[in-house]
Amino acid sequence: MFSRLARPQNLGALAGALRNFSSTTAVNSTVPIASEVCKAAGTYDPNRIIGVTTLDVVRSNTFVANLKGLNPAEVNIPVVGGHAGKTIIPLISQATPSVEFDPETLDNLTKRIQDAGTEVVNAKAGAGSATLSMAYAGARFTNSLLSALNGKEGVIECGFIKSSETECSYFSTPLLLGKNGIERNLGLGKLSDFETKLVEDAMDELKGSIAKGEKFVSQ
């Protein structure tokens, strides 16, 4: 997460909030927590608070590439929504390069992307989680952000941010990064009927996670 949270007046409050907050939908709730802490400290800037969802993008790229015999490094699948379960919405219709799947394969692929974390935990028989892929995703986002802060143009990563793209007050979409953090929210783009239904189905869970984070700070 990138923000002005490095300021001393924010760190103590944020650390206390996150230390005492437990949720399986961490990003979906902790980004609202971070925002509320910054508001209370008078340092809130929505363009500098980003929930990192790159792990979902990396998984989507890998799974699609494996099915199509492509190089994962040359595949890009935007992932929108949130960062847990059915709130993870891969926009395979917007894939680069373009790919197509029959309805059953698409449904199974989407569910695998959404449940990928559980798949890893089960494969390790509960002895660990997706440590290496999380590290890779974090490094990728950090490198992208640093490149943008240093003036590189055209840097795009998906992230969970304060948003007006949907009825949810926070939502993950592709973001154009720059010297000031978020330069532009690139939005949802054109969705397929299947993806539109996924967005609709994610709303209630996402709203609940956001409300949980905001309520936690106000207690």
Side-chain angles (χ1 to χ4, degrees):
M1 186 183 300
F2 169 71
S3 69
R4 290 182 176 176
L5 299 177
R7 293 187 177 185
Q9 65 265 42
N10 292 334
L11 284 176
L14 181 65
L18 299 186
R19 183 168 55 249
N20 292 299
F21 187 84
S22 177
S23 172
T24 57
T25 57
V27 168
N28 296 355
S29 295
T30 54
V31 171
I33 287 176
S35 296
E36 295 305 310
V37 169
C38 285
K39 289 175 184 177
T43 61
Y44 178 63
D45 182 349
N47 291 325
R48 291 178 176 270
I49 301 178
I50 306 172
V52 180
T53 62
T54 313
L55 181 56
D56 302 322
V57 175
V58 169
R59 286 170 169 163
S60 299
N61 294 348
T62 301
F63 295 165
V64 168
N66 288 345
L67 287 174
K68 292 297 184 180
L70 301 171
N71 181 350
E74 298 174 355
V75 175
N76 182 56
I77 312 290
V79 180
V80 303
H83 187 54
K86 69 179 182 180
T87 71
I88 299 169
I89 304 167
L91 302 184
I92 295 173
S93 72
Q94 299 179 25
T96 305
S98 179
V99 295
E100 292 185 2
F101 297 99
D102 64 74
E104 182 178 0
T105 301
L106 179 61
D107 185 57
N108 290 336
L109 174 60
T110 299
K111 289 176 179 175
R112 188 185 180 199
I113 292 168
Q114 293 173 333
D115 297 333
T118 301
E119 179 180 331
V120 174
V121 171
N122 290 340
K124 293 185 175 182
S129 60
T131 309
L132 293 178
S133 58
M134 285 190 285
Y136 172 78
R140 167 176 154 163
F141 182 86
T142 301
N143 287 336
S144 292
L145 184 59
L146 290 174
S147 295
L149 290 172
N150 285 322
K152 183 177 180 179
E153 297 183 352
V155 179
I156 298 173
E157 290 285 356
C158 293
F160 188 69
I161 64 168
K162 184 69 175 176
S163 173
S164 59
E165 289 294 318
T166 69
E167 58 193 80
C168 285
S169 54
Y170 292 83
F171 204 79
S172 179
T173 45
L175 309 170
L176 178 65
L177 302 178
K179 291 183 178 181
N180 297 309
I182 302 167
E183 293 293 334
R184 184 156 57 97
N185 185 339
L186 300 179
L188 290 169
K190 184 178 180 180
L191 304 180
S192 68
D193 291 343
F194 176 73
E195 292 159 354
T196 298
K197 182 66 164 55
L198 291 175
V199 171
E200 292 172 353
D201 290 346
M203 288 292 106
D204 287 346
E205 181 174 327
L206 197 49
K207 286 179 182 178
S209 297
I210 293 167
K212 185 177 182 181
E214 293 175 334
K215 181 180 179 181
F216 181 83
V217 176
S218 66
Q219 290 177 339

